[in-house]
Amino acid sequence: MSTDRIITLHGEQELVQRAGHLFVASHEEFLVAATDLMTFSAGVNAAFREGKRPHVVPGLTMRKLYSRRALADPESLRRLRRIAASGIEIRISDGPIAREAIVIDRRTAILAGAPVRGVHTYTVVQAPEVVDGVRSLFRATWETATDLADCAAPPPLTEQARDTLRSLAAGHTDETGARLLGVSLRTYRRRVADLMAALGASSRFQAGLLARDLLREEVSPAAPR
């Protein structure tokens, strides 16, 4: 692959088949930034199962950075703690993750696109200026993020929180949401602000998208890990 070539891959299987060898090539640094445990989980785990994993050598830095959405349920927190126990550094960002990506040895960036009908696209880039930009963005967010060991388990969603999530997912205005839930506008806005902080969302629109995902996960069978 030339240093300026860009390849777009569709789905985790193609990611493993065509880019899995890049994971093995990591000897200095392996960085992962993701909103939650779903974006790269299937593809990376499949690559690792095939033996396509970074060789653990002295000096190899492995870091994973997630938004608070990765702490949305106790099982996710347990998974993160197991990953951290293996020696990988994990931090949680209070804000949203600007770019979901893997950066390998400062030479390769794998950028995740928004899923379409549940399938992610992954763009593999080796243009130095792009890789440096993604890595700099990672480092800036990493420096302000919280170590996983200092993050408490999130409380379970109350029915009140679920009602507010449903309102956000439906795209209701604050006035409509407050009226439908039978609360004051001030109370409704406070509930939304609390949920936005818990979801790591920077806007109502983003919070609405995250709310749809969370509600979908609640009613769907557990995805294989």
Side-chain angles (χ1 to χ4, degrees), residues 137-218:
L137 186 60
F138 179 97
R139 287 174 60 84
T141 308
W142 179 267
E143 290 302 319
T144 61
T146 303
D147 191 272
L148 178 66
D150 298 323
C151 294
L157 285 177
T158 64
E159 191 57 39
Q160 180 185 98
R162 290 190 182 90
D163 288 341
T164 308
L165 278 174
R166 294 186 189 103
S167 180
L168 283 172
H172 292 149
T173 64
D174 288 354
E175 290 77 8
T176 300
R179 177 173 52 79
L180 291 174
L181 298 185
V183 298
S184 69
L185 183 59
R186 181 177 179 179
T187 296
Y188 180 81
R189 285 175 171 166
R190 176 175 52 76
R191 292 181 183 178
V192 170
D194 290 343
L195 278 173
M196 286 179 62
L199 294 171
S202 60
S203 67
R204 298 293 181 92
F205 176 74
Q206 185 183 39
L209 294 178
L210 294 176
R212 289 192 190 103
D213 289 344
L214 283 175
L215 292 170
R216 189 180 302 119
E217 289 168 10
E218 281 202 340

Side-chain angles (χ1 to χ4, degrees), residues 9-91:
L9 309 175
H10 300 278
E12 287 79 6
Q13 184 175 357
E14 192 171 9
L15 172 67
V16 174
Q17 290 175 344
R18 299 187 61 185
H21 67 283
L22 295 171
F23 299 171
V24 183
S26 178
H27 297 291
E28 301 172 9
E29 190 177 68
F30 192 86
L31 311 177
V32 178
T35 297
D36 53 34
L37 288 165
M38 299 304 294
T39 303
F40 291 110
S41 180
V44 171
N45 288 344
F48 284 9
R49 282 195 299 272
E50 293 188 11
K52 299 173 181 178
R53 64 167 64 236
H55 297 299
V56 180
V57 296
L60 173 64
T61 297
M62 296 188 70
R63 291 175 171 171
K64 293 191 174 185
L65 176 67
Y66 296 99
S67 75
R68 288 204 170 270
R69 185 178 168 192
L71 304 178
D73 61 87
E75 176 55 30
S76 293
L77 181 58
R78 285 192 289 270
R79 287 186 62 203
L80 288 173
R81 286 174 174 166
R82 288 196 296 269
I83 294 170
S86 72
I88 298 174
E89 298 177 64
I90 298 179
R91 290 188 182 181

